[in-house]
Each structure stands twice: as structure tokens, then as C-alpha cells.
Amino acid sequence: MRVGDRPLRAAALEPAGEIVELDEKELFVSLKIGCGTAPFEEAFSIIPGGPVDTRVLREAVYRYAASVAARDGRYAAVTSVLRKERPRVSGIATGAPIMPAGVDPSAGAVSALCGLRDSHMLIQGPPSAGKTHTSAHAIVELLHRGKRVGVSSNSHKAINTLLVAVEQVAKAAGVVFRGAKKCSADDHCLGGTMIADVFDNAVATGEEFQLIAGTAWLFAREELDAQLDYVFLDEAGQVSLANVIAIGVSARNIVLVGDQMQLAQPIKGTHPGGSGVSALEYLLGDLATVPPDRGIFLATTRRMHPEVCRFISEAVYDGRLMPERSNGNQRLILKPGGDRDLAPFGIRFVGVEHEGCSQRSEAEGGRIRELYLSLLGQRWVDRHGSERALGTEDILVVSPYNMQVNYLQSVLRAGARVGTVDKFQGQEAPVVLISMATSSGDDLPRDIEFLYSRNRLNVAISRARSLAVVVASPRLHEVPCATIDQMRLVNLLCWVTAFAGGRAD
């Protein structure tokens, strides 16, 4: 379904801004975004356009700053985020758990969100823990109760993924509503039934729509100022604080959905005072999981075998993440004579000696190829007990570096799923093969924080439904560290090896 005409303009990147500081008397805002006013280039221009026009975002932030100065309390939900307040929920005392123990996570989250009072709620969803499912059910229930709801994120892909789930849940529940998805290009369209694709801002912000979806550029418009009951920000671990303000001025309540322990939004440049962090990083700081009195932690994953989940839970999520019971059915059935470093399930570490490799290792590429070929033709049992042969679609091959990705593509058969960690966030497969590529600390092409990132290792390993195999030089365990934080990062790879019981020779 589509409303309006598409303007002849190229799709533009929509960068993020950041809050620098908030105190009780003044709000200081620094938008680390392009501040030019050049129009978007025409679709067929071969010359890069100028800076993105960010006036609508800046004006939304200024409206909030003026409200703070006037002490009128107009945007209470935004202020609750910036002051890191506990959520205000009807029937729940401040400081009490948002969701009592034993309550169904989806039902408990929906109930808490429906009781939100001029505040914000954080929903942390680890890999395949059901954040889209939970958000969709909450949105449909709110629509059923007559609330007006917004859906936003940094990307149209993330927005559309949630909207597809909303329509599915609404149809199953018999809930009918009118919605609008603001598109800026044909490939941003949803093609839904109850949610229309709209290219005109004036149409998208119309009062006839009960659900409105789009990026920050839509919700920052003055026509939507304080017009919504709720706004859901998906992938909030990648949404900057300034964009939370620009979007949040549209609604009485803000729902931040995401996981700060996965990949953050790529940011170029240096941002003072911690202003480069995402909304979730700002709210949670060094905490790996949201405390029970500050939000909702979706604690059950429907993806990982219990052995894979156990490592991810202990190493990343404070031991709080648990596998759904049927995940234990997932396993490889290995033929006799297969590769010695394969296993039916769990995590394996395979040490490969090499020297002088920075972003590309032929030795690791050769070992990955051996593992890959041995996997093809093996059998796999899914969580429902169904058995089938493994194919190319069932194996993800991951590396931190594009150079190693390109090399792996050249040595593996056509159709192999090979990419960086960033490419595969949100995807999954029965088996994941990970190539670290770098020989030693002396060969690191970037800082320790990149190769040994806890978030990147979390995303890489947690793609696996049954088996994750880490292929790396054993000398990566011996990298000199300058800080305690760097020691923790290197120790995580050592933890992988110890947990896996794999050979480091």
C-alpha cells in the first residue's frame, strides 16, 4: 500500500547527534552531525552531495532546551532518559522490579508498558530473545487501547522488520488500525496492508494515522510535537542521545528497545564528554544487563544450544541469559572420519600458527576451508527434532577484516556465506566459523579494542545455533596490555579457549 508520490531525490544517510551534558539549570547540546543546508542531490548526480540538512533535528532539540529553561515539564519522558530516572509505571513502586519473577516475559512487558506514565522504558533483548516479538505485541495492545504510537530507528530496515511483526500480530489478534510508514526511496517501503507507504511528510504526520513510522527526521517535525502517546526506538543501542531527544519530543512515553552488548553505531570523529555513546550506553554505563528496577531484560534465547548460550551468558550477560528448553535438541550428527575439531555442539578453539599476518592469514584460510568442506554433507538436527543435511546456507564464515573476508571468499565454494561481524548482526546459522586473522599483538592493524571487542565476539559467537569454531593464532593470548580494560578484553579470548577445551597448538 502506498500514499503520495516519491520525490526525485537520492537516499541520504541520516547521521546521529549526541548530548554533551544536562544539569538541573541548563541543557547543553552538541549535535555532532552535518550542519549544512545544501539540498539533497538529484538521484542521478555523480557528485557526492553536501552535508545533510539537519535543521529539523536541531529545532526539535532547541524546543526541548527551551522547555527545560522554562521548567514547564512538557517533555517529561525525554527528561527521564537524560536524568537516568527509574521508569514510572502505574501499580509498581519506584525501585521495585518492573517485571515480577515468574511472569511470562512478553505478557509482563506488555503490562508494564501499558502502565508507563510520562516516562521511559528500556527493553534489553540479547540475541534471539524476542525483542521484536515483545515490541510488536506491546504496540498492538496499545493500538487496541486507542493509543497513538510511533516506531523509529536509525535504519529503514530495522523499522520495517518491526512493522512486519506488528501487522502479523494485529491480524492474528483481530486488531484493525491505520498506519503510515514514511519512505524516502522505493527500497525503504514496507508494502504492508494496514500500514501505508507515504512519501510526503505532511501526509505521514496526519491525524488520521494511529501508527506512524519513520526515522528521526519525521518525528522531529513540529507537526508531531507532543502528538503521540508512545514512541518505540528499535536498535536503541545504535541511536544517539541527541536523536532520542529529537524523536522523543513527539511522545509522552519513550520505549528504548535494543542491546548495548551487540554492535554500536559506527561513529567517526572524537566526541567530548562521552557524547558519542548510544542511548543504552548512556543509561546503563558499564552494566552488561539492565537491572530489574530500571527496565526489562528478555532472558530466554530461542537460538543457541545450551552450551553456546552458557558461554555467552557468563561472558557477556551476567549469567542471566538462558536457552529455551528445545534449544538442546540442536546438534550436528558427525560422520566417522570427519574433521577432528568439529563437535556436535558448543564452542571450539582451533589454534593455527602463523607469523606477520595483520588483516589476512592464508594459514587460517586453509584451516577454515578444511572445516567448511568437512561440514558440508554432515547432518543437523534442529530445535524441533527435524534432521537434514548441512548446506552452504547453514554455515556462516566470519572475520573482523574485509581483507580476510575477501580471501576466504576466494578459497570457499560459490555461495558460501562469508562476511564481517557487522554484516551478520541479526543473522544466524547452525554453525559459525570465525577467523581472527592477526598473528600477534605486534601485527594488530588497529587497537586492541577492535579485535578483542567483547561486543564483536558476542555477535560472532552468538550467531551459532549449535556450534561456533574460533580459528586463531595462539599468540593472540599473549598480547601486551596497557590498561586493566585491555587485560579484560584479551582475557575474554583466553576464556573462549578455556571454555572450549580446544587445542591451541
Side-chain angles (χ1 to χ4, degrees):
M1 186 163 55
R2 173 169 167 159
V3 176
D5 297 321
R6 180 175 67 86
L8 185 62
R9 291 180 177 177
L13 293 175
E14 297 172 344
E18 291 83 26
I19 293 298
V20 171
E21 184 180 354
L22 174 79
D23 68 24
E24 295 181 357
K25 295 185 177 181
E26 290 186 274
L27 176 72
F28 297 93
V29 179
S30 173
L31 287 177
K32 300 297 177 183
I33 54 183
C35 294
T37 58
F40 297 144
E41 297 296 319
E42 295 300 316
F44 301 105
S45 172
I46 61 173
I47 301 174
V52 175
D53 189 342
T54 62
R55 283 175 296 182
V56 67
L57 300 182
R58 286 179 282 146
E59 288 167 359
V61 175
Y62 295 156
R63 290 199 303 274
Y64 175 70
S67 172
V68 172
R71 298 181 179 273
D72 59 19
R74 179 174 173 80
Y75 308 109
V78 175
T79 299
S80 77
V81 172
L82 296 179
R83 289 181 175 168
K84 303 182 182 181
E85 296 173 349
R86 290 181 172 86
R88 294 183 290 272
V89 183
S90 297
I92 299 177
T94 301
I98 301 298
M99 200 161 59
V103 174
D104 175 76
S106 181
V110 170
S111 176
L113 290 173
C114 288
L116 205 57
R117 306 192 317 270
D118 300 312
S119 186
H120 76 278
M121 182 70 74
L122 194 163
I123 300 178
Q124 184 180 0
S128 200
K131 69 182 181 65
T132 299
H133 171 89
T134 300
S135 299
H137 278 79
I139 290 169
V140 170
E141 178 60 27
L142 291 168
L143 293 172
H144 178 63
R145 297 188 183 198
K147 304 299 183 182
R148 201 171 185 214
V149 181
V151 175
S152 189
S153 188
N154 273 356
S155 73
H156 288 277
K157 180 180 179 181
I159 295 169
N160 287 348
T161 297
L162 179 51
L163 294 181
V164 167
V166 167
E167 285 203 339
Q168 291 173 344
V169 172
K171 290 173 185 175
V175 175
V176 179
F177 64 94
R178 290 193 68 191
K181 163 66 198 308
K182 171 61 175 63
C183 312
S184 57
D186 281 331
D187 59 354
H188 295 159
C189 291
L190 175 69
T193 54
M194 287 183 274
I195 302 172
D197 291 317
V198 177
F199 288 94
D200 189 327
N201 283 315
V203 176
T205 56
E207 294 181 359
E208 67 270 26
F209 295 115
Q210 192 182 355
L211 181 145
I212 296 173
T215 61
W217 268 251
L218 176 67
F219 290 96
R221 297 179 68 85
E222 194 163 10
E223 301 95 298
L224 281 181
D225 193 272
Q227 295 301 302
L228 304 176
D229 296 297
Y230 289 79
V231 64
F232 283 69
L233 276 68
D234 199 15
E235 302 294 354
Q238 300 185 0
V239 178
S240 66
L241 278 169
N243 276 14
V244 172
I245 294 177
I247 296 168
V249 295
S250 67
R252 289 178 50 227
N253 297 288
I254 300 171
V255 184
L256 301 165
V257 185
D259 182 13
Q260 81 285 359
M261 300 311 294
Q262 297 187 57
L263 298 183
Q265 177 189 13
I267 296 177
K268 294 182 179 180
T270 301
H271 307 293
S275 62
V277 301
S278 72
L280 298 193
E281 291 174 301
Y282 173 78
L283 285 169
L284 295 178
D286 293 332
L287 297 176
T289 59
V290 56
D293 64 335
R294 293 175 58 185
I296 296 168
F297 180 77
L298 301 176
T300 303
T301 174
R302 294 173 62 85
R303 175 185 300 162
M304 292 174 275
H305 184 279
E307 280 300 294
V308 180
C309 182
R310 185 161 64 91
F311 172 78
I312 292 296
S313 180
E314 293 175 4
V316 182
Y317 294 107
D318 298 330
R320 295 177 67 186
L321 185 64
M322 300 296 166
E324 201 274 337
R325 182 174 299 177
S326 61
N327 291 7
N329 294 330
Q330 300 175 149
R331 65 189 61 233
L332 299 178
I333 301 176
L334 300 172
K335 300 174 183 178
D339 195 292
R340 62 176 186 167
D341 284 316
L342 296 178
F345 51 78
I347 299 174
R348 300 286 286 168
F349 181 90
V350 179
V352 177
E353 295 283 358
H354 49 81
E355 294 184 3
C357 298
S358 179
Q359 300 179 59
R360 179 177 181 268
S361 168
E362 294 184 7
E364 286 189 23
R367 191 69 187 94
I368 289 283
R369 185 175 186 275
E370 292 171 351
L371 291 163
Y372 188 90
L373 293 177
S374 185
L375 283 165
L376 293 177
Q378 306 285 2
R379 309 289 291 178
W380 181 66
V381 179
D382 68 17
R383 64 198 306 269
H384 303 295
S386 299
E387 181 182 328
R388 60 176 173 79
L390 278 177
T392 55
E393 72 278 4
D394 298 313
I395 308 167
L396 293 183
V397 183
V398 186
S399 181
Y401 308 114
N402 283 316
M403 287 182 64
Q404 184 68 355
V405 165
N406 293 336
Y407 179 69
L408 290 168
Q409 287 174 332
S410 72
V411 299
L412 298 177
R413 63 170 54 185
R417 298 175 67 187
V418 186
T420 61
V421 179
D422 309 70
K423 175 182 177 179
F424 288 135
Q425 178 158 284
Q427 300 186 45
E428 61 183 40
V431 181
V432 174
L433 304 178
I434 302 164
S435 173
M436 301 294 280
T438 305
S439 295
S440 69
D442 293 334
D443 303 300
L444 285 171
R446 299 171 65 173
D447 52 34
I448 288 177
E449 286 73 14
F450 177 81
L451 181 62
Y452 292 87
S453 163
R454 179 168 62 161
N455 291 31
R456 302 181 76 83
L457 199 58
N458 174 29
V459 172
I461 293 176
S462 66
R463 302 308 91 197
R465 299 189 70 91
S466 293
L467 176 66
V469 182
V470 179
V471 178
S473 165
R475 286 188 294 158
L476 288 182
H477 298 119
E478 305 166 3
V479 174
C481 300
T483 67
I484 293 176
D485 285 340
Q486 289 182 349
M487 291 177 66
R488 291 192 181 103
L489 291 175
V490 175
N491 183 62
L492 185 61
L493 184 61
C494 298
W495 193 353
V496 171
T497 308
F499 184 93
R503 286 177 293 275
D505 54 11

